[in-house]
Amino acid sequence: MEKTVEDPPTSAVLLDDCHFSQVIFNSVEKFYIPGGDVTCHYTFTQHFIPRRKDWIGIFRVGWKTTREYYTFMWVNLPIDLNNESAKQQEVQFKAYYLPKDDEYYQFCYVDQDGVVRGASIPFQFRPENEEDILVVTTQGEVEEIEQHNKELCKENQELKDSCVSLQKQNSDMQAELQKKQEELETLRCINKKLELKVKEQEDYWETELLQLKEQNQKMSSENKKMGIRVDQLQAQLSTQEKEMEKLVQGDQDKTEQLEHLKKENDHLFLSLTEQRKDQKKLEQTVEAMKQNETTAMKKQQELMDENFDLSRRLSENKMICNVLQREKERLEGENDLLQRENTRLLSYMGLDFNSLPYQVPTSDEGGAGQNPGLVYGNPYSGIQESSSPSSLSIKKCPICKADDICDHTLEQQQMHALCLNCPICGKTFPAREKQIFEDHVFCHSL
């Protein structure tokens, strides 16, 4: 058996599952002469659609599966199946690939799924016999043969008409069968889907059943516990009833009181439910309070930071105040020195400080007056005013309008304490140029 480059698609489908009437083979000879090419003519039925991998094979009569082909040829796909001429096709088998024995063979049309869609009548590959070449008969035999041939032709025509009718009926039945098979395939798919759904539903029901069984077991165990608890309560109730009968025999009020307690128990149960709701509300309120507390903590931290800043500034102000106080004490000491120096200068000028008709004003008078004993007044009155305590008295700040000591007041006092002002011309000298300041004041007295 010859093999080509690409083997055709085959299957192990048995003959009972094949459809031999969808492709019809035409003009099949009883035998073909070996050594020549063989042309196979075939026709597609109305409801059959060829595909690209369909093929026609030569099978030995008695084959069981499509794998037993001797040789094959690929089918030529028609361009338009609606055209009647396109349904009539042919393939040519080369003599080299044909069988060399005289066994019976037949053409079979196999689709790309390996299913047989048509089969021809059997034929042989053998040479012509001499009997087939020349036959000599008498006139009577000829007439008898012609009559017999006419009868055979008539019978053949009837058989052809019957065959065409049967083929049409077979084609209709085949189309209906194919439709039924498609419906059956659809029903099978639906059935598979339904089976899967049923299986899933059964699995779900089994899972649900197991869960229900577990819940039932839990409920049974709880029921047993409750039964034991009920028995205990019933025993306690019996004891209490006996004690109650002993204590208050025939007292009907106790029964009413018991009913009242039951109602109260129900009321308490309802109250407990409401209390649980209130507890949830309280938990929500507590959560809100926690959030408020967090916000308050943040604000407190901010206030603490601000308080720390204020404390730092207060400490700085205190330090400045201490510096000013020490400067004040230093200036008072310098004032005493200047007074002694003033006395010395007056003595040097020939004047007695105690014999002057006007004394130097004290700090209580604020240094507002002038000494008439001097031509140009007291040259050290500016120094005395700057060193007197009244110069450090608390005044209203001209910048921030504060009555208390502020940063501006302390800064001004510190700058004032570090400068020396001439009481005559108002010229300012730094505190480190004290000798120059004294010479300047002394020049005014000359």
Side-chain angles (χ1 to χ4, degrees):
M1 181 172 57
E2 300 293 337
K3 291 187 179 180
T4 59
V5 176
E6 183 181 1
D7 291 335
T10 59
S11 66
V13 179
L14 299 177
L15 295 177
D16 296 336
D17 297 329
C18 297
H19 308 280
F20 296 100
S21 60
Q22 293 184 353
V23 178
I24 300 172
F25 290 93
N26 305 319
S27 302
V28 180
E29 302 293 338
K30 292 182 180 179
F31 62 91
Y32 293 95
I33 299 173
D37 298 338
V38 175
T39 303
C40 174
H41 301 274
Y42 58 94
T43 304
F44 297 121
T45 57
Q46 184 178 0
H47 299 287
F48 180 74
I49 299 175
R51 290 182 288 181
R52 186 174 62 88
K53 288 290 185 178
D54 293 357
W55 54 282
I56 295 176
I58 296 177
F59 291 80
R60 180 178 294 178
V61 175
W63 58 274
K64 299 296 182 183
T65 65
T66 56
R67 298 173 182 172
E68 300 177 11
Y69 67 92
Y70 186 87
T71 185
F72 77 96
M73 291 292 295
W74 295 110
V75 172
N76 297 322
L77 292 178
I79 299 174
D80 187 9
L81 287 175
N82 296 324
N83 191 358
E84 291 295 331
S85 61
K87 293 184 177 181
Q88 297 179 1
Q89 299 290 327
E90 64 180 25
V91 293
Q92 190 176 36
F93 291 90
K94 297 297 180 180
Y96 178 78
Y97 299 105
L98 296 176
K100 303 300 188 289
D101 56 10
D102 57 352
E103 296 290 337
Y104 282 93
Y105 293 89
Q106 63 180 153
F107 300 114
C108 291
Y109 188 100
V110 185
D111 62 7
Q112 67 179 14
D113 296 328
V115 179
V116 178
R117 299 298 180 178
S120 68
I121 61 175
F123 56 85
Q124 288 179 298
F125 292 94
R126 63 179 178 82
E128 293 181 347
N129 295 329
E130 294 180 358
E131 296 176 356
D132 298 330
I133 297 174
L134 179 63
V135 178
V136 179
T137 58
T138 60
Q139 183 67 28
E141 290 177 352
V142 169
E143 292 178 354
E144 185 179 353
I145 289 172
E146 289 179 353
Q147 184 67 27
H148 185 64
N149 285 336
K150 289 180 180 179
E151 292 178 356
L152 289 176
C153 288
K154 185 177 180 180
E155 186 177 356
N156 188 17
Q157 187 65 34
E158 291 177 356
L159 289 174
K160 284 184 178 180
D161 295 337
S162 177
C163 182
V164 170
S165 177
L166 289 174
Q167 286 178 353
K168 184 178 181 181
Q169 184 178 359
N170 189 12
S171 177
D172 295 337
M173 291 181 68
Q174 190 67 30
E176 186 177 358
L177 179 61
Q178 187 174 2
K179 185 177 180 181
K180 294 293 183 182
Q181 285 179 350
E182 291 176 356
E183 292 178 355
L184 180 61
E185 191 68 25
T186 305
L187 290 174
R188 284 177 180 175
C189 294
I190 295 172
N191 190 19
K192 287 181 180 180
K193 292 180 180 178
L194 291 174
E195 286 178 355
L196 291 174
K197 288 183 179 179
V198 168
K199 188 175 181 181
E200 291 177 357
Q201 191 69 25
E202 287 178 354
D203 295 337
Y204 174 74
W205 285 346
E206 287 178 359
T207 306
E208 193 72 21
L209 182 62
L210 291 174
Q211 292 178 355
L212 290 174
K213 285 182 179 180
E214 291 177 357
Q215 291 180 359
N216 190 14
Q217 290 177 358
K218 291 180 180 179
M219 293 296 292
S220 299
S221 60
E222 290 179 359
N223 192 12
K224 289 180 181 179
K225 292 179 181 179
M226 292 297 292
I228 295 171
R229 180 61 179 168
V230 168
D231 294 336
Q232 293 176 357
L233 292 174
Q234 285 180 354
Q236 293 178 2
L237 183 62
S238 300
T239 305
Q240 290 177 359
E241 286 178 353
K242 289 179 181 179
E243 291 177 356
M244 189 180 295
E245 289 176 358
K246 290 179 181 179
L247 293 173
V248 284
Q249 293 179 355
D251 190 3
Q252 298 296 329
D253 295 337
K254 296 296 181 180
T255 306
E256 295 177 358
Q257 187 177 2
L258 181 62
E259 293 294 331
H260 178 70
L261 289 174
K262 288 182 180 179
K263 292 179 180 180
E264 188 176 356
N265 188 15
D266 295 335
H267 180 69
L268 289 174
F269 181 74
L270 295 175
S271 299
L272 180 60
T273 305
E274 293 178 355
Q275 287 178 2
R276 288 178 179 175
K277 293 180 180 179
D278 294 338
Q279 185 178 1
K280 289 182 180 179
K281 292 180 179 179
L282 287 174
E283 288 177 355
Q284 295 176 357
T285 305
V286 168
E287 187 67 24
M289 290 178 69
K290 286 182 179 180
Q291 294 179 357
N292 293 332
E293 183 180 358
T294 304
T295 306
M297 289 291 290
K298 290 181 180 178
K299 290 182 178 179
Q300 184 180 2
Q301 185 65 30
E302 292 176 358
L303 291 174
M304 288 177 68
D305 295 339
E306 186 176 357
N307 188 15
F308 177 75
D309 186 46
L310 292 174
S311 299
R312 182 179 57 78
R313 292 176 62 185
L314 180 60
S315 299
E316 292 176 356
N317 292 332
K318 285 182 179 180
M319 291 173 65
I320 294 171
C321 184
N322 292 330
V323 171
L324 292 175
Q325 187 68 27
R326 288 192 297 271
E327 186 66 21
K328 175 188 173 183
E329 292 175 357
R330 186 182 65 81
L331 292 174
E332 286 178 352
E334 291 180 357
N335 188 21
D336 293 337
L337 293 174
L338 290 173
Q339 285 179 359
R340 289 194 293 271
E341 184 68 21
N342 189 18
T343 304
R344 184 183 66 78
L345 289 173
L346 290 175
S347 299
Y348 176 77
M349 294 171 65
L351 298 177
D352 188 4
F353 180 78
N354 294 324
S355 64
L356 293 175
Y358 179 76
Q359 298 293 330
V360 178
T362 61
S363 60
D364 295 335
E365 294 175 353
Q370 294 180 348
N371 189 351
L374 298 176
V375 178
Y376 299 101
N378 188 1
Y380 300 103
S381 60
I383 301 173
Q384 292 174 357
E385 289 175 358
S386 62
S387 61
S388 63
S390 61
S391 62
L392 296 174
S393 62
I394 298 173
K395 296 180 181 181
K396 183 178 289 186
C397 179
I399 298 174
C400 62
K401 304 299 181 182
D403 294 334
D404 199 356
I405 296 175
C406 63
D407 295 339
H408 306 96
T409 306
L410 293 173
E411 187 176 355
Q412 289 178 1
Q413 290 176 359
Q414 187 177 5
M415 292 295 295
H416 183 71
L418 297 176
C419 296
L420 299 173
N421 297 324
C422 179
I424 298 172
C425 64
K427 188 175 181 179
T428 304
F429 293 90
R432 63 179 179 274
E433 298 178 356
K434 182 179 178 182
Q435 185 63 40
I436 298 172
F437 170 74
E438 291 176 355
D439 295 339
H440 175 76
V441 175
F442 180 73
C443 288
H444 284 294
S445 62
L446 295 178

